[in-house]
Amino acid sequence: MTRNDGRTIDALRPISIKRGFTRSAPGSIYIQAGRTTILCTASIDDAQPPWMKDEVSGWVTAEYNMLPGSTSPRKRRERGKTDSRSTEIQRLIGRSLRAAVNMQALGPRTITVDCDVLEADGGTRTLGITGGWLAMADAVASIAGDLPDAGKVFRSSIAAVSVGVHEERVLLDLDYSEDSTAEVDLNVVMTGEGDFVEIQGTAEGRTFGRELLDQQLDVAAAGIAQLTAIQRETLGDAWPLAN
Amino acid sequence: MTRNDGRTIDALRPISIKRGFTRSAPGSIYIQAGRTTILCTASIDDAQPPWMKDEVSGWVTAEYNMLPGSTSPRKRRERGKTDSRSTEIQRLIGRSLRAAVNMQALGPRTITVDCDVLEADGGTRTLGITGGWLAMADAVASIAGDLPDAGKVFRSSIAAVSVGVHEERVLLDLDYSEDSTAEVDLNVVMTGEGDFVEIQGTAEGRTFGRELLDQQLDVAAAGIAQLTAIQRETLGDAWPLAN
Amino acid sequence: MTRNDGRTIDALRPISIKRGFTRSAPGSIYIQAGRTTILCTASIDDAQPPWMKDEVSGWVTAEYNMLPGSTSPRKRRERGKTDSRSTEIQRLIGRSLRAAVNMQALGPRTITVDCDVLEADGGTRTLGITGGWLAMADAVASIAGDLPDAGKVFRSSIAAVSVGVHEERVLLDLDYSEDSTAEVDLNVVMTGEGDFVEIQGTAEGRTFGRELLDQQLDVAAAGIAQLTAIQRETLGDAWPLAN
Amino acid sequence: MTRNDGRTIDALRPISIKRGFTRSAPGSIYIQAGRTTILCTASIDDAQPPWMKDEVSGWVTAEYNMLPGSTSPRKRRERGKTDSRSTEIQRLIGRSLRAAVNMQALGPRTITVDCDVLEADGGTRTLGITGGWLAMADAVASIAGDLPDAGKVFRSSIAAVSVGVHEERVLLDLDYSEDSTAEVDLNVVMTGEGDFVEIQGTAEGRTFGRELLDQQLDVAAAGIAQLTAIQRETLGDAWPLAN
Amino acid sequence: MTRNDGRTIDALRPISIKRGFTRSAPGSIYIQAGRTTILCTASIDDAQPPWMKDEVSGWVTAEYNMLPGSTSPRKRRERGKTDSRSTEIQRLIGRSLRAAVNMQALGPRTITVDCDVLEADGGTRTLGITGGWLAMADAVASIAGDLPDAGKVFRSSIAAVSVGVHEERVLLDLDYSEDSTAEVDLNVVMTGEGDFVEIQGTAEGRTFGRELLDQQLDVAAAGIAQLTAIQRETLGDAWPLAN
Amino acid sequence: MTRNDGRTIDALRPISIKRGFTRSAPGSIYIQAGRTTILCTASIDDAQPPWMKDEVSGWVTAEYNMLPGSTSPRKRRERGKTDSRSTEIQRLIGRSLRAAVNMQALGPRTITVDCDVLEADGGTRTLGITGGWLAMADAVASIAGDLPDAGKVFRSSIAAVSVGVHEERVLLDLDYSEDSTAEVDLNVVMTGEGDFVEIQGTAEGRTFGRELLDQQLDVAAAGIAQLTAIQRETLGDAWPLAN
């Protein structure tokens, strides 16, 4: 079986990443998988969020937004309020990125990762996590001089990918047309060491049994291993974790 | 190991259910697990949602809300806007309940399931699904005379439960104090036949490997089997599925 | 003349009250009159409202909300903003309950009384006041140990009832079908000693003269005397006022 | 006892009224009582409100707003949302004005009466009703040619006044300083024939007995009789009711 | 060429101004040009805006609002949010009035100028500036005793006018019917000394060349000189600038 | 005098433009001047705006938004509501782009131009106009086959630039640091033929006379001539105007 774009069922889309895409934010990653394109920026505020009571820890939060021109037809700008899909996605991104960080080592600071989707062709939430972690790494590096032990801020790297089931086959990294027809939709977030950070699986057209879940998890793990390698290559010497 | 309330690690909390708790909505289920108490009402509107273009199918939507007095300290009423946690939860409940329904057999109607939490002590989202399905069953029964084939509206029963990991042990159906200290939090939604509808697992304090995931899924499946039996007993002759 | 439910024109609907309905709020009253059912919870915050400048007094505020499933057809949830009817009602409940309390004796605390209507069949605002006062009594009792003179917090008990005019007859405690056709609608809030706290009368279909107003006030006063006796019986030894 | 401004306890403040104050709205009344000044405009839209199902009746609605400069210190402009006091007041004004109108004779039109307070010194809600009725009379007169039976649109004239209790004395038409210290605050809306349209009484500092209520109603009725005479004189030949 | 109201092309509409129109705000100017009528009130708060960091300067801000009855058909009240036209206008008024004030001499205070349009017939933004400056002058005079050097608060007087192009002729001070058909719309704000504060020119139906711009600026300057003379006469001895 | 970045006072910043930056919108222009970077996308909806009554014309509207990461410190996302500066800017962009289009030739369609600022270093509103016109040109070209006379849609090209006054010198195309200290700020929008579309000049620190205005307009006109040449080169054969 060949897919629309000629990929095999267990292949990622081609990925392109530019570090320092803008200079206004200390972490600024332009990340593209196929046609899905996201600008992930990470900003650091020297203050805890107001609700935090412990005085030594930091926090990581995320916002997700699709630019109106990122889809066709144009998506109405979320100005009245954040729509419920975006709310759900940005909570997922925030939780996932927080799992990567040692909040004591970060100290009383807030990292905000903004994932602004420039073009949407499926898999925006997982690509936002993969790119957002890179932006966060660059942002933390920019303040390394202010941190007592910068080497301990990251507990792990984090990457994410989607898998789906279509006509009984498990597909890796679905584009929009595949996502629309998939019967099961599973988003997996893992550390570079291969542990789970978050699993979200939804039966879209049919419920699914344990065996099919296991197959999907295998395919996802292999995809995330490739993404981790790309992240490592992108950062090079700036990789923030022990080798 | 005994838990706060004396349960074994794989036991559900005691469950109490009252059908027809109020008469204003055709489905009205008061459901209690330990101290967590939810009023699930299901209302039916003889119209499709405005965005639906196919003219013969129905739709199921859910709303989730915690009453201000359901927690201590009091939770500020969500009047300005739905908070992001509630948004995420009601999307989960809605997707899960939709998986149970054959939309063609329902016809051009909208079922709205409201899960209003009267007292919150952990597990509100999963208990809302378990109770919401019962409210939906009673609401559909109330219009059976208007449906060409009422027996085909439900594709399956749906129930849900949480599992968590605490000090390397897997616990079923966490209460609030257990949930606060759990290292992994997994919500599982399954059909009465034991297929998955939704899986949402989050590393809270530590990431987790495949083996631990497998253990949690086993414990969840056993819990859901018990909940399905309770649902079946609650509805008795009103059980809307074959057998 | 007999009414729909067999009551005489000057009879209250049957009333059922459960104290401590939930344990999350210190005052939690489930109160039912006929089919109208309200959960009144009272929570206490150890802080004054921000606008209060005198440093020794407390405050009482109320919120009123109908659950979506409390009416048929379903009432749209007030999430965008509080609707104007609810705003008017919760201002009435708040003013009425404040009249019962000696704010200096309460000290710098805020009591919030939430009236969440589980089922609406007329008279929700007056039943909310009657039940809200009970919830407030239980909540204050729960902090009696922290108060220098707990016995002085309450200046009086408060109860409320509606009366209406239908075909020249004055009816006590209207249900929804009666309320819809009443020509005059009068809500009366009184202390246990029989003084007025609030009167709100509205000509719905016809204006009304002084004599008819007097008749309505007589019927309301007799109804409130009965409600006060029920409140006293409900609280028993917990009655917070000198005998 | 003399009052701040030298009035006797049962005297109205001096009233000044200008008809046709602006020409943009068909009814435009500038009304002043002491320093309280309101611009009441009435506009007519040739359409029913969207929720109205009967096809032949009209509707009357009111909006109330205080200009920021109408008080000292300046009142924050109600742009985020209508504050709850304004909501309550505009519901009162709307209900009161609707009582004056025969909706069938008005036909499928909506009259909107805007009460914009230019200067606030107590009694704005009652002065808004008194002035709003005049604006409505002029607006209806402007479309008399389009109405099959213009003479039947008004069922009565409507005027309103406040009374209060201060040191055991009943005062008519309170200004702001009197209102702030009044122990009871009663707003009375009556027809020109002396029937009640709306009564709203609130115990501010003390509850009140039946006798005191009766005294207040007597004083209010006398005040409203004077206001009706002023309304009649203001409109002259344009008085819309049979003599 | 004669205009609708008989004016020559370079004539202002007749202007009428009342100082101290209300007493609730220290500056209260009722200003009318033809039928356009605005109540400009200026209030002073003894605090800087929260974002101001320098501790010695003051600030001037403006709000613009059209009353619903100021136009026909009635303008929907801006309660949900400020509409974008009003936002643009009040930013223009605020910037213009700030240019008149020496913020150090004002000291840590905030002047808010509210321009509430009672009747709108074109030119509301420019008339609001002309009247707003007068209200600000009276408000500052009311606190002169608290200012170390009240004579230095004003750097200049400010007035504004619109000009437009219609059939190749430049018209001064357009009313609504002229504004609707003008091909170019230019609003000019100048000091009493004839310097520019703000210029906003928009091609409505046709773009325009440099020569036509120059003609419009000449006509505007002449109009503003007349407005300045009217302002000076209105304030008389209260004119806050050196002669 | 040399500027921070070495430019002469009458030089534009280096400009970089990419057409077809994303494929989801028919017009997608990435435009950069110095560090200011904007993604301008133009989408076409085959429907008129709802308020349009004439059935044959089209409409052009614009939205302006700064991404949170486009500034340092991070700009809070405009989700509650559009802030007033953005409102003012997007009205300017919309008016300017509409001046370029023959609405009859466009037919009953709506073009929405989204200017999303990826990095902000001064001059975003003028660069948004220059880039927005290019995006609009590509979007119209994409539907040329559906238009009866595509060659008549554009009446002219449109470009914009800012000029300012700093220490008595007129500077072209201010960056953020220059803009912050400029004494006068003038934004000029012109057609490719050199006519004015919009002029907005504001005295920031000092008012300005006619001579200084004339100098600024000269400098702006020269800058816009260069921008027009760049636009023409960018589109090449796709230039939508004669010649």
Side-chain angles (χ1 to χ4, degrees), chain D residues 69-119:
Chain D
S70 68
T71 59
S72 176
R74 177 180 183 270
K75 181 173 188 295
R76 198 188 171 95
R77 199 174 288 272
E78 289 177 35
R79 268 181 169 159
K81 57 171 197 167
T82 310
D83 72 29
S84 58
R85 176 182 166 276
S86 292
T87 299
E88 189 182 64
I89 291 176
Q90 70 192 13
R91 282 171 62 86
L92 168 66
I93 299 175
R95 280 196 309 267
S96 298
L97 295 178
R98 279 193 288 282
V101 173
N102 177 336
M103 298 299 175
Q104 264 75 25
L106 176 60
R109 293 174 176 83
T110 303
I111 302 179
T112 303
V113 175
D114 287 286
C115 296
D116 283 276
V117 178
L118 306 188
E119 182 159 7

Side-chain angles (χ1 to χ4, degrees), chain F residues 26-44:
Chain F
S28 175
I29 296 289
Y30 172 96
I31 188 166
Q32 198 169 35
R35 282 178 53 189
T36 293
T37 312
I38 308 183
L39 176 56
C40 303
T41 54
S43 307
I44 300 181

Side-chain angles (χ1 to χ4, degrees), chain D residues 63-64 74 79 114, chain E residues 63-64 74 77 79 114:
Chain D
E63 294 195 3
Y64 169 94
R74 177 180 183 270
R79 268 181 169 159
D114 287 286
Chain E
E63 295 194 2
Y64 169 93
R74 178 179 181 271
R77 198 174 288 271
R79 269 180 169 158
D114 288 286

Side-chain angles (χ1 to χ4, degrees), chain A residues 231-242:
Chain A
Q231 286 177 320
R232 193 182 284 261
E233 186 182 9
T234 299
L235 291 183
D237 292 346
W239 183 253
L241 291 155

Side-chain angles (χ1 to χ4, degrees), chain A residues 21-24 30 35 63-65 67-70 72 74 77-80 82 90 112 114 116 119, chain F residues 21-24 30 35 63-65 67-70 72 74 77-80 82 90 112 114 116 119:
Chain A
F21 187 70
T22 54
R23 280 181 288 171
S24 39
Y30 172 97
R35 280 179 53 189
E63 296 194 2
Y64 169 94
N65 185 48
L67 298 204
S70 67
S72 176
R74 177 181 183 271
R77 199 175 287 271
E78 289 177 34
R79 270 180 167 159
T82 310
Q90 69 191 12
T112 303
D114 288 287
D116 283 277
E119 182 158 8
Chain F
F21 187 70
T22 54
R23 281 181 285 169
S24 38
Y30 172 96
R35 282 178 53 189
E63 295 194 4
Y64 169 93
N65 184 49
L67 298 203
S70 68
S72 175
R74 177 180 183 271
R77 198 175 287 272
E78 289 178 33
R79 269 181 169 157
T82 310
Q90 69 191 12
T112 303
D114 287 286
D116 284 276
E119 182 159 7

